[in-house]
Amino acid sequence: MSQGRPRSIEEFRVGERATARRAFGEEDVGRFAELSGDFNELHIDEVAAGRSRFGGRIVHGMLTASLVSRLLGMELPGRGTIYLQQSLRFVAPVRIGDELEAAVEVTAIDVAKRRMTLSTTVRRVDGENVLTGEALVMVEGER
Amino acid sequence: MSQGRPRSIEEFRVGERATARRAFGEEDVGRFAELSGDFNELHIDEVAAGRSRFGGRIVHGMLTASLVSRLLGMELPGRGTIYLQQSLRFVAPVRIGDELEAAVEVTAIDVAKRRMTLSTTVRRVDGENVLTGEALVMVEGER
């Protein structure tokens, strides 16, 4: 899969933005449970999750956060990204099948250190934010 | 899968700790790439990753972080955990097959709000930290 050439830190601009859409289905949640070992009943057990405050199964927070990883690794900055830090606030539950839109936006650039800060948000397409936070990345640029 | 009964916030103690060991293989990294859509060459392309500063393929940061999700959701606090916030610092690369130990430890408890702060760390079993950070969770307790 081509991701284009790596960009050098000088080529990015504050305000630059990338987005991606995705819904996680039952199978995705099952696969993430297997991969992580997180079989918490809120994700896996429809009956127990139905009795919870959420009224049904919810998607793992870290699976929702993987959309941010995808945008950083594939689009902005894309090739040459080195992931340094991420903060995550899980501000609303994500239900199985919820249509999500993730967005990353450059908020600060440190050319000397080749580092960028990006705001990282996932919202339901119908409006509400489900995840907010910030990423710090380094950009390798051309080799 | 039984996780025992949910514990109420009064039952936790600062200093309480849980750990889990895991290595991520090539198949795990491939599965996480499929699930997240993050096919960055550092994770997927042995040739390109070999030319990078890392000298070979590395595990997605968010996949390493899933070990923290597993410990919170399954062990401490376990059942009744509601994930509110997580900070992640990716302080060293994780290579495919590296044996990891994740640890979470209660650092503060707010009984009135039913919230706990935990330090969250993943290290290579041979010693070096690869991920550090902090989690904020709410505990539902018994219903």
Side-chain angles (χ1 to χ4, degrees):
Chain A
M1 182 170 306
S2 171
Q3 301 176 266
R5 77 173 174 81
R7 295 162 67 187
S8 66
I9 189 73
E10 292 83 0
E11 295 174 68
F12 294 94
R13 292 293 171 263
V14 169
E16 194 174 342
R17 190 177 153 88
T19 62
R21 287 199 176 193
R22 173 77 191 265
F24 293 107
E26 280 191 29
E27 284 192 5
D28 298 316
V29 170
R31 285 193 195 104
F32 187 79
E34 295 283 346
L35 202 49
S36 65
D38 184 352
F39 294 92
N40 186 285
E41 61 189 4
L42 286 179
H43 309 303
I44 295 304
D45 182 338
E46 188 60 52
V47 175
R51 276 189 263 111
S52 77
R53 63 165 56 198
F54 302 117
R57 290 168 63 187
I58 59 171
V59 174
H60 299 78
M62 221 54 101
L63 181 54
T64 301
S66 76
L67 290 174
V68 171
S69 160
R70 161 184 166 187
L71 280 171
L72 297 173
M74 297 295 286
E75 301 203 32
L76 182 64
R79 281 183 71 190
T81 301
I82 296 173
Y83 211 172
L84 299 178
Q85 293 180 27
Q86 178 72 52
S87 64
L88 301 167
R89 286 182 291 278
F90 303 109
V91 295
V94 175
R95 293 193 171 72
I96 288 171
D98 280 353
E99 191 69 31
L100 303 176
E101 183 175 270
V104 300
E105 181 173 329
V106 180
T107 54
I109 303 176
D110 182 334
V111 172
K113 290 189 177 170
R114 308 169 71 123
R115 291 183 175 194
M116 296 199 302
T117 306
L118 301 98
S119 69
T120 57
T121 307
V122 183
R123 67 179 180 90
R124 278 202 292 270
V125 169
D126 62 21
E128 189 184 23
N129 279 343
V130 297
L131 184 158
T132 63
E134 196 173 75
L136 178 68
V137 298
M138 202 167 93
V139 176
E140 286 263 83
E142 291 176 294
R143 287 184 289 267
Chain B
M1 183 172 299
S2 170
Q3 301 177 266
R5 79 174 171 79
R7 295 163 66 189
S8 66
I9 189 72
E10 292 83 0
E11 295 174 68
F12 294 94
R13 293 291 171 263
V14 169
E16 195 174 340
R17 190 176 152 87
T19 63
R21 288 199 175 192
R22 175 76 190 265
F24 293 105
E26 280 190 31
E27 285 193 6
D28 297 318
V29 169
R31 284 193 195 107
F32 187 78
E34 294 284 347
L35 203 49
S36 65
D38 184 352
F39 294 92
N40 186 286
E41 62 189 3
L42 286 179
H43 309 303
I44 295 305
D45 181 337
E46 188 59 52
V47 175
R51 278 189 264 110
S52 77
R53 63 166 55 197
F54 302 117
R57 290 168 61 187
I58 59 171
V59 174
H60 298 78
M62 220 55 97
L63 181 54
T64 301
S66 77
L67 290 174
V68 171
S69 162
R70 162 185 166 184
L71 280 171
L72 298 173
M74 297 295 286
E75 301 204 30
L76 182 62
R79 282 184 71 190
T81 300
I82 296 173
Y83 212 171
L84 299 178
Q85 295 179 26
Q86 178 72 53
S87 65
L88 302 167
R89 286 183 290 278
F90 303 110
V91 295
V94 176
R95 293 192 171 73
I96 288 172
D98 280 353
E99 191 69 31
L100 304 176
E101 181 174 273
V104 300
E105 181 173 329
V106 179
T107 54
I109 302 175
D110 183 334
V111 172
K113 289 189 177 169
R114 307 170 74 122
R115 290 182 175 195
M116 295 200 302
T117 306
L118 301 98
S119 69
T120 58
T121 308
V122 182
R123 65 180 182 91
R124 279 202 291 273
V125 168
D126 62 21
E128 189 184 22
N129 280 343
V130 296
L131 184 159
T132 63
E134 197 172 77
L136 177 68
V137 298
M138 200 168 93
V139 175
E140 285 264 83
E142 292 175 296
R143 288 183 288 268

